[in-house]
Amino acid sequence: MIDPFKRTWWMPGWGEIALSSLIWALVSGMLLVPGFNAHHDPFQSVSRLISVDAFGYFLHSFHSYSGDIFLIAAFVHTIEYLIKRTHRSYLFKQWFYLILLMIVSILAVFSGFLSIGSKESASALHIFDGILQTVPVIGGQLSLFFIQLTRNINPFSVIYLHHAATFTILTVILTYVHIKRLKAERYALLYTGFLLALLALILPASLGHPADAVVSVVKGPWYFIGLQEMLSWMPVFVAGIAFPLIIIGLLAWLPQLKSKDRPVLYAIAVLLIFYLMESVIGWFLRGEGWQIFGR
Amino acid sequence: MAFNFNHLNRRRFLKALKNGLYFIGIAVFSKLTGRFINRAAAGSGTVQLNISQPNQPFRVYDRFFMIRDKDRLRFLSRTCPHLGCTVQWNDRAGHMACPCHGSRFTKQGRYLSGPAKADLHELSYELVDENNIKIFLEDG
């Protein structure tokens, strides 16, 4: 039987790919800083960055894909180790830091998407704000902390700071706490760098539409299309807060269960498959006006 | 006489006291932080509009739709009441639609279908002079 997680001579481990992607994201992100203006018109600054210089176009795509590959590799790495039941040997505190790493990693990539200032990211910013507002008691404060969706402050500059500082720093720290190093295996670093460069060259990352563009449908980043689909038919609190919290809660529970973890693992698998189905519907079937098969 | 620690020895008492102080400290810090973050609650912005142009029954602006009904002007916010995306006007279908989750509204801003479950918010305005009006936008 083929083991999809077995390391081969040509393919590094998924954890190493994730770490390498993180490193490449940090490097490419730092190189993009001078060209990106989050305060005035972020979309225009990115458009200029990619149009004025071919390397800028490459760098933007490279950075964008490094975040995507980081998420994918981290997800597969997580699944691999859940299947191997390594959570049974974790203390709760160690496991808690891993859960936190998962959350800040997703927020680090998502906040990067939000910072661009495109039509899609502006809509996503409003949706994110709307979801945070449904959190009881502290929803308003959470929204103000992360987004500051008011007239006085450009929300893109706030979320950009969280992207470049808050979530990135937390991701790096928690990664170090997890594996006690930040140096990736040399081969994995080269392998991932080559993969990202190839992707950036042959499939330049889409920038999205300008914020004032007239579009018939707005689709968020691929990892949140499922959430967008769920929001179209579920209450906001259920889709945006309860659903992810249930998955996080089940994951957090695993080390306590030791050998009795099978039902919880199945529950997590069912929820992830459901999310995948929603993502497929949102990606392939939703068209104009977010209608099924809309032209 | 020393306090009776029969059922709660001194070490456990001090640990409980320490935990209690931690909780109080976190509660106080959270309260102060929440109050600090709340400073950004700003009022609505405004937009000034010149209405001396030829009468158009319906017009799309960045943040609102303008509807001219005989002599009455109405301004409908383009912010979807569901989760704040910008509602688009669909000329072919003759209705307004949210591109994020598919909510639909009539040309008058009345809710038709989708997760929004509310009409588009009507914005208030005031006359600046005979050719200009000031429209009060909602927050965000």
Side-chain angles (χ1 to χ4, degrees):
Chain A
M1 194 169 96
I2 297 170
D3 180 357
F5 306 116
K6 187 181 174 185
R7 287 175 200 203
T8 58
W9 63 270
W10 55 272
M11 172 90 172
W14 289 100
E16 286 299 322
I17 294 175
L19 177 62
S20 303
S21 302
L22 175 63
I23 292 168
W24 284 121
L26 289 170
V27 170
S28 56
M30 281 192 282
L31 292 174
L32 283 168
V33 163
F36 183 69
N37 184 346
H39 304 286
H40 182 238
D41 190 338
F43 186 81
Q44 195 185 47
S45 72
V46 181
S47 303
R48 189 174 53 243
L49 194 152
I50 66 174
S51 61
V52 89
D53 189 69
F55 183 68
Y57 206 171
F58 168 80
L59 203 55
H60 166 256
S61 297
F62 189 94
H63 185 65
S64 179
Y65 285 128
S66 63
D68 293 340
I69 298 294
F70 171 67
L71 281 186
I72 293 169
F75 176 75
V76 177
H77 174 66
T78 305
I79 298 297
E80 176 186 1
Y81 280 85
L82 283 177
I83 292 172
K84 289 178 182 171
R85 308 288 206 276
T86 51
H87 49 268
R88 292 179 183 176
S89 58
Y90 272 80
L91 298 172
F92 178 73
K93 194 168 142 183
Q94 292 171 309
W95 192 248
F96 172 74
Y97 287 141
L98 268 181
I99 305 274
L100 216 53
L101 173 58
M102 181 185 73
I103 296 168
V104 297
S105 301
I106 294 170
L107 287 173
V109 178
F110 182 50
S111 57
F113 169 81
L114 292 175
S115 306
I116 293 176
S118 62
K119 182 82 177 179
E120 288 78 8
S121 70
S123 301
L125 207 61
H126 279 277
I127 293 168
F128 186 34
D129 177 62
I131 291 171
L132 287 175
Q133 298 276 3
T134 64
V135 175
V137 182
I138 57 168
Q141 275 90 343
L142 282 175
S143 166
L144 286 173
F145 179 75
F146 287 118
I147 302 171
Q148 288 270 346
L149 211 63
T150 69
R151 300 237 176 323
N152 296 334
I153 296 169
N154 177 0
F156 296 114
S157 63
V158 174
I159 201 70
Y160 171 64
L161 283 171
H162 284 307
H163 168 66
T166 315
F167 298 132
T168 297
I169 291 171
L170 286 173
T171 302
V172 168
I173 290 172
L174 289 167
T175 300
Y176 183 82
V177 167
H178 175 43
I179 53 175
K180 303 293 183 283
R181 62 181 167 95
L182 288 173
K183 192 175 166 206
E185 291 171 2
R186 189 183 302 180
Y187 176 69
L189 199 61
L190 290 172
Y191 177 93
T192 309
F194 177 73
L195 174 69
L196 290 169
L198 198 64
L199 275 172
L201 283 169
I202 63 174
L203 206 66
S206 168
L207 198 51
H209 299 91
D212 55 359
V214 176
V215 294
S216 59
V217 64
V218 170
K219 292 197 178 181
W222 60 268
Y223 42 88
F224 279 153
I225 288 279
L227 173 61
Q228 190 175 354
E229 170 61 25
M230 286 163 65
L231 284 168
S232 69
W233 63 274
M234 279 184 181
V236 176
F237 179 78
V238 172
I241 303 291
F243 182 81
L245 275 183
I246 288 170
I247 295 179
I248 290 167
L250 289 172
L251 279 170
W253 195 16
L254 282 171
Q256 322 293 323
L257 296 167
K258 301 294 177 193
S259 56
K260 299 189 181 86
D261 53 10
R262 187 172 285 205
V264 172
L265 286 170
Y266 280 148
I268 293 170
V270 165
L271 290 171
L272 290 178
I273 290 168
F274 169 75
Y275 189 77
L276 179 65
M277 280 167 41
E278 292 289 291
S279 301
V280 166
I281 293 170
W283 191 263
F284 294 108
L285 303 186
R286 292 288 187 184
E288 182 182 306
W290 200 256
Q291 303 303 309
I292 293 279
F293 300 124
R295 270 193 307 108
Chain B
M1 192 165 120
F3 187 82
N4 188 353
F5 280 102
N6 279 347
H7 63 281
L8 186 69
N9 63 38
R10 183 167 60 187
R11 182 171 290 186
R12 285 172 68 184
F13 173 75
L14 287 173
K15 192 173 177 186
L17 184 66
K18 183 189 78 175
N19 288 337
L21 286 172
Y22 274 147
F23 277 119
I24 292 169
I26 288 168
V28 168
F29 179 74
S30 302
K31 178 77 182 165
L32 291 172
T33 306
R35 200 160 63 179
F36 165 73
I37 289 172
N38 268 330
R39 81 203 186 289
S44 303
T46 60
V47 166
Q48 194 144 312
L49 194 67
N50 186 300
I51 54 169
S52 62
Q53 297 145 12
N55 281 350
Q56 281 177 290
F58 180 78
R59 194 164 167 180
V60 181
Y61 289 90
D62 275 351
R63 306 292 300 270
F64 51 85
F65 299 106
M66 185 187 79
I67 300 168
R68 202 183 281 266
D69 190 9
K70 295 189 177 79
D71 286 328
R72 188 175 158 234
L73 271 180
R74 292 177 66 215
F75 296 95
L76 299 176
S77 171
R78 288 183 68 186
T79 302
C80 181
H82 178 222
L83 283 169
C85 290
T86 304
V87 173
Q88 312 283 348
W89 165 246
N90 188 329
D91 205 33
R92 187 169 45 83
H95 61 235
M96 301 170 185
C98 173
C100 291
H101 303 105
S103 296
R104 287 176 172 177
F105 310 87
T106 67
K107 201 172 180 180
Q108 305 303 319
R110 293 242 181 268
Y111 166 74
L112 277 173
S113 64
K117 306 281 188 267
D119 299 339
L120 291 180
H121 180 66
E122 184 156 354
L123 304 173
S124 54
Y125 63 94
E126 65 182 25
L127 277 173
V128 176
D129 53 49
E130 63 178 48
N131 289 324
N132 292 286
I133 56 172
K134 182 162 48 173
I135 301 153
F136 296 95
L137 301 170
E138 53 204 5
D139 280 349

